Amino acid sequence: MNAQTLFPEVQQREMSFAEAIRDAMAIALERDPTVILMGEDIGVYGGAFQVTGDLIERFGADRVIDTPISELGGAGVAVGAALTGLKPIFEFQFSDFAALAMEQIVNQAAKLRYMLGGEAAVPVVFRMPSGSGTGAAAQHSQSFEAWFGHVPGLKVVQPSTPADAKGLLLAALEDPDPVIIFEHKLLYKMKGPVPLGHYTTPIGKAAVVREGSAVTIVASAIMVHRALEAAAELAKEGIEAEVIDLRSVRPIDRATIIASVRKTGKLVCVYEGVRTLGVGAEISALIAESEAFDYLDAPIQRLGGAEAPIPYNPDLERAAVPQTPDILSVVRRLVRGEV
Amino acid sequence: MVENQKNIPFAFRHFTPEALRRALRKMHLIRLFEEGAEESYMRGLIHGTMHLSIGQEASAVASCMELTDADKITSTHRGHGHCIAKGADVGRMFAEFFGKETGYCHGRGGSMHIADVKTGNLGANGIVGGGLPIAVGAALTARRLGRDDVTVCFFGDGANNEGAFHEALNMAAIWKLPVIFVCENNRYGMSTPATYATAVKNIADRAVAYAMPGITVDGNDFSAVAEAMHTAVARARAGEGPSLIESLTYRWRGHSKSDRNRYRSKDEIEDWMSRDPIMRFRTDLIAHGVLDAAGAEAIEAEAKAAVAAGIDFARESPSPAITDVTKFVHAEAAA
């Protein structure tokens, strides 16, 4: 027996974030006849962000279903289909449009299992292109993960890499409950190694993507990349930052975050959603309530979105969400004991 | 003979005497169940609120006559009748209302979320219009899995002005899905008259906008509802698409337990009560020789006994454990 058979090399290929999601959907459609895709312009158009691409040609219009511009109704059809035996993947063209479908997501999908005493399941996946940076202004740029993270019955994930985008989508499909996936639009073209074939990335597990001892930076979605960029810069200054990719907003991985803060004694949360009552508030609170509190040697810092809608002007738009220099600045001040 | 047959209402030509007797039993069961629930509420055995469908029994039962357990229904906040019509057990329903672990939803749902997935009842709904898109989704499943099940989507006149109604009817129509939309128009959305709230004269007129057949029937006429449903179910099973049936009826009780009936007159309520759909059906059954007065009394007595037994079952059933407050939020982790 050689090493090759004991540890078969996982075959992987360079793919963009969008291609990785498409790969996951193609695998799911092939493996499971109950999987269907639904959404606006996901057919011949290929999706507003070209995520579904050519899937309609490969799997047909019976399984790659263009919906009318009907977010509430479309989401509800997906919920009803999930309730009766299908596994729909419903794409919102922009996560902002999910506001039109809150009723079906929050009042129905999230609660049906509970309201019916465990006698029903709603294994639906909602995909939500999200975030700012595209110049699309206030109604096409929001980050709603904290909204949905507040609802028991939902699971909410935010991949930051192509490999996790695929693995979390395949995990979401195996999950018997509704899962919402926030896909940052600026990540769609980002490339990275993606294992071939079927695999899952566990929901509810954060990833330590850079180890360090001076400060813990918990970041989500595109903020992971800004945190890593900042960490590389900080390393040159002798500051070793640990970067955690949150990946899952609900359930949140308390253990990984607590262990890191116990080690570093400092915490910075970086997220794109509005700072107040956002994901960072929950992370801060879970540290304040845990044994890691005694290990803190500086106040927790939150970097989140501005208390404003996302503006159109590009300079204002950049200023409305955390950027790499913001992370650098807060970490430097924290390490110098200036906060 | 053929000429004579024409004068016999649909139900008496189409259903066996046994099926018609079962229908009468279900109507009585619905009425007595709701009266029992109301009394239990007054006595403090049921908390919260409830929405009674007393006066609407014919519509619920006639709508479910040709459905099997494989066929689905989605229901409303006024859904007790649909639940019983679809085949639920009144003991487990009472247990749910009493908040007991033996209830259909293990005490987590109550009146507004009563469901029985095993008999195809996907549940009542606390949100007006909430079930409409879900029904279309259930029909999409039947299509995708190659089954000939249909979904009956119950909703009230109030829901016909919700966006979900319009989105759901449109999608069911463009995809020709096997859904029967049954609007039980009981004239009021809480206190607001349907005639005030709705731009069209008949809610069934809205079917035109979604290119499906629309029909308005006397919802207290068992045979008229059953006939309209028969046509719509056949159309759905044949893959020809959805239909909209508006069933005109009336709730004798207020919207919920807090209603003081300020928006309608005593005369109006008494007028409708004098035309009780159950007694009307019963009289027709006797007139067509399906049963005699004694037979009808026996059916009612049997329903009464079932309701009494159901209340006893509910009272004696255990409550959920306090420690199980988060149970059923998600699927149980595999052991």
Side-chain angles (χ1 to χ4, degrees):
Chain A
M1 228 183 236
N2 58 31
Q4 192 68 37
T5 48
L6 273 177
F7 304 102
E9 196 182 327
V10 178
Q11 296 235 315
Q12 54 183 38
R13 188 163 70 77
E14 193 86 344
M15 283 184 210
S16 73
F17 196 88
E19 283 168 340
I21 296 166
R22 189 183 317 138
D23 188 39
M25 292 193 287
I27 289 169
L29 286 161
E30 242 155 42
R31 278 166 59 101
D32 183 348
T34 67
V35 171
I36 57 166
L37 311 187
M38 297 178 66
E40 294 162 9
D41 306 295
I42 65 165
V44 290
Y45 194 96
F49 297 97
Q50 294 302 310
V51 178
T52 43
D54 64 350
L55 291 177
I56 191 164
E57 283 144 43
R58 293 163 64 189
F59 297 96
D62 285 345
R63 299 188 70 195
V64 181
I65 304 170
D66 268 324
T67 66
I69 302 174
S70 255
E71 286 83 6
L72 169 65
V77 172
V79 171
L83 187 62
T84 49
L86 297 188
K87 288 183 186 163
I89 304 174
F90 187 90
E91 175 182 300
F92 281 96
Q93 198 157 75
F94 287 80
S95 65
D96 312 65
F97 306 166
L100 288 151
M102 287 303 273
E103 200 288 285
Q104 284 292 330
I105 302 171
V106 174
N107 287 327
Q108 312 292 341
K111 295 176 172 59
L112 273 162
R113 178 188 289 280
Y114 192 84
M115 295 189 298
L116 272 55
E119 302 289 339
V122 186
V124 64
V125 178
F126 292 112
R127 293 184 38 243
M128 304 223 185
S130 167
S132 69
T134 64
Q139 296 172 339
H140 291 71
S141 303
Q142 297 169 88
S143 299
F144 283 159
E145 51 277 0
W147 280 23
F148 294 102
H150 196 66
V151 181
L154 298 179
K155 293 179 182 171
V156 180
V157 298
Q158 286 184 282
S160 75
T161 65
D164 280 349
K166 177 177 168 181
L168 283 169
L169 178 50
L170 289 170
L173 276 168
E174 286 189 356
D175 199 290
D177 293 308
V179 179
I180 299 184
I181 306 179
F182 284 92
E183 300 166 359
H184 201 291
K185 285 167 291 200
L186 294 184
L187 294 175
Y188 278 135
K189 290 187 173 152
M190 194 194 88
K191 294 204 166 190
V194 176
L196 299 182
H198 184 273
Y199 67 93
T200 59
T201 301
I203 293 170
K205 292 272 179 248
V208 178
V209 290
R210 181 185 174 113
E211 291 195 9
S213 54
V215 58
T216 298
I217 305 174
V218 180
S220 54
I222 196 162
M223 294 302 158
V224 174
H225 302 283
R226 292 179 191 162
L228 285 170
E229 198 182 11
E233 194 64 29
L234 290 162
K236 295 178 196 161
E237 302 165 20
I239 302 168
E240 289 299 336
E242 179 145 301
V243 178
I244 295 176
D245 179 350
L246 186 63
R247 296 201 295 197
S248 177
V249 171
R250 185 183 191 95
I252 203 158
D253 183 355
R254 298 167 56 88
T256 298
I257 299 168
I258 289 170
S260 178
V261 174
R262 281 183 63 154
K263 181 172 74 172
T264 65
K266 294 183 182 64
L267 173 63
V268 178
C269 309
V270 192
Y271 53 106
E272 183 162 333
V274 172
R275 182 173 177 273
T276 303
L277 295 168
V279 172
E282 185 58 36
I283 296 167
S284 305
L286 79 85
I287 290 301
E289 289 170 343
S290 78
E291 68 273 22
F293 179 73
D294 288 334
Y295 293 80
L296 282 176
D297 56 24
I300 297 168
Q301 298 296 302
R302 285 183 292 158
L303 283 175
E307 306 296 324
I310 298 293
Y312 169 66
N313 173 286
D315 295 329
L316 290 179
E317 185 181 20
R318 271 191 294 277
V321 301
Q323 303 293 336
T324 306
D326 302 320
I327 304 172
L328 284 168
S329 152
V330 77
V331 171
R332 284 174 186 141
R333 285 191 290 121
L334 199 60
V335 171
R336 288 189 209 122
E338 290 172 10
V339 287
Chain B
M1 186 66 196
V2 173
E3 276 307 303
N4 286 345
Q5 282 267 324
K6 272 188 186 168
N7 295 326
I8 300 174
F10 169 83
F12 300 95
R13 282 181 274 130
H14 186 72
F15 298 115
T16 63
E18 178 50 32
L20 292 169
R21 286 192 288 267
R22 275 201 308 270
L24 178 66
R25 182 180 183 276
K26 277 185 177 174
M27 280 193 221
H28 276 301
L29 202 53
I30 293 169
R31 173 74 54 88
L32 292 161
F33 173 86
E34 292 202 309
E35 286 172 351
E38 193 174 34
E39 196 199 325
S40 301
Y41 178 87
M42 300 299 187
R43 293 168 60 196
L45 295 167
I46 297 176
H47 79 150
T49 190
M50 66 177 76
H51 307 88
L52 300 172
S53 67
I54 292 174
Q56 304 184 184
E57 296 87 350
S59 179
V61 174
S63 295
C64 294
M65 284 301 283
E66 296 190 35
L67 305 184
T68 70
D69 284 357
D71 296 316
K72 309 289 187 286
I73 65 165
T74 61
S75 176
T76 73
H77 58 285
R78 204 173 305 286
H80 312 155
H82 310 141
C83 197
I84 291 170
K86 194 67 171 62
D89 166 65
V90 291
R92 291 197 64 194
M93 287 179 71
F94 273 121
E96 186 56 35
F97 286 30
F98 281 55
K100 299 298 181 71
E101 189 63 50
T102 53
Y104 273 113
C105 310
H106 303 279
R108 271 63 166 189
S111 156
M112 250 189 293
H113 305 295
I114 193 87
D116 179 18
V117 178
K118 288 185 186 71
T119 59
N121 177 359
L122 301 178
N125 210 304
I127 305 296
V128 171
L132 278 139
I134 293 175
V136 179
L140 182 68
T141 298
R143 163 78 55 82
R144 170 76 203 130
L145 300 182
R147 301 191 310 231
D148 74 348
D149 318 340
V150 301
T151 302
V152 174
C153 174
F154 290 105
F155 58 101
D157 48 279
N160 106 101
N161 295 313
E162 288 277 9
F165 165 87
H166 297 272
E167 294 189 26
L169 265 70
N170 184 57
M171 275 184 276
I174 63 169
W175 294 326
K176 286 198 176 344
L177 291 174
V179 193
I180 299 97
F181 296 100
V182 178
C183 178
E184 291 177 321
N185 180 353
N186 64 15
R187 303 170 71 97
Y188 299 94
M190 205 156 152
S191 70
T192 308
T195 49
Y196 164 86
T198 306
V200 289
K201 185 163 179 286
N202 300 303
I203 290 168
D205 294 348
R206 291 200 155 151
V208 175
Y210 303 107
M212 66 177 77
I215 182 172
T216 302
V217 296
D218 176 351
N220 287 356
D221 178 346
F222 175 88
S223 185
V225 176
E227 185 166 18
M229 282 298 296
H230 174 74
T231 306
V233 168
R235 173 179 151 84
R237 286 207 208 280
E240 291 163 16
S243 304
L244 172 61
I245 296 172
E246 178 185 14
S247 178
L248 298 175
T249 184
Y250 195 80
R251 59 167 156 78
W252 293 6
R253 298 294 195 269
H255 161 72
S256 67
K257 300 314 296 176
S258 64
D259 190 336
R260 286 179 292 173
N261 275 320
R262 283 183 166 177
Y263 51 90
R264 54 185 191 174
S265 68
K266 202 161 167 263
D267 286 351
E268 179 184 299
I269 298 170
E270 279 169 2
D271 174 49
W272 280 90
M273 287 177 74
S274 72
R275 294 179 283 121
D276 181 348
I278 301 181
M279 292 321 290
R280 180 172 169 183
F281 184 52
R282 202 163 140 159
T283 307
D284 285 349
L285 286 172
I286 293 168
H288 287 92
V290 176
L291 43 66
D292 56 18
E297 290 298 331
I299 283 173
E300 188 175 356
E302 195 198 330
K304 237 174 220 164
V307 164
I311 291 174
D312 287 346
F313 170 74
R315 293 187 71 156
E316 288 156 18
S317 287
S319 286
I322 297 296
T323 46
D324 280 344
V325 66
T326 59
K327 192 179 175 185
F328 305 130
V329 173
H330 289 294
E332 299 280 289

